[in-house]
């Protein structure tokens, strides 16, 4: 709340890049906020979705590794 007050003039940001700047907000949460609250086109993808997609496409790189995450970027 303090960061919203100081960095955004008390108005919660609506742009994905700005939401990501908030302390404690990662990719998943920023995508969820922008998608659900602001109807912006961001996919909310969690570990289970990555796991299903990796099996569907036959990817063998562990999804919890840096290289595995890059394969989905």
């Amino acid at each position: 709340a303090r960061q919203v007050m100081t960095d955004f003039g008390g108005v919660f940001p609506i742009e994905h890049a700005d939401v990501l700047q908030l302390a404690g907000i990662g990719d998943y949460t920023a995508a969820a906020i922008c998608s659900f609250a602001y109807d912006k086109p961001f996919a909310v993808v969690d570990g289970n979705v990555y796991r299903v997609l990796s099996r569907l496409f036959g990817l063998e790189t562990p999804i919890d590794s840096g290289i595995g995450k890059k394969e989905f970027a």
Side-chain angles (χ1 to χ4, degrees), residues 49-61 63 72:
V49 174
Y50 283 124
R51 200 171 289 103
V52 169
L53 291 173
S54 68
R55 290 178 183 153
L56 179 68
F57 293 110
L59 302 176
E60 295 183 15
T61 307
I63 60 167
F72 284 100

Side-chain angles (χ1 to χ4, degrees), residues 16-57:
H16 186 262
D18 293 334
V19 175
L20 273 174
Q21 290 180 16
L22 296 173
I25 301 291
D27 291 331
Y28 178 88
T29 303
I33 290 169
C34 291
S35 177
F36 300 136
Y38 303 119
D39 200 30
K40 295 200 178 250
F42 287 95
V44 181
V45 182
D46 69 357
N48 292 318
V49 174
Y50 283 124
R51 200 171 289 103
V52 169
L53 291 173
S54 68
R55 290 178 183 153
L56 179 68
F57 293 110

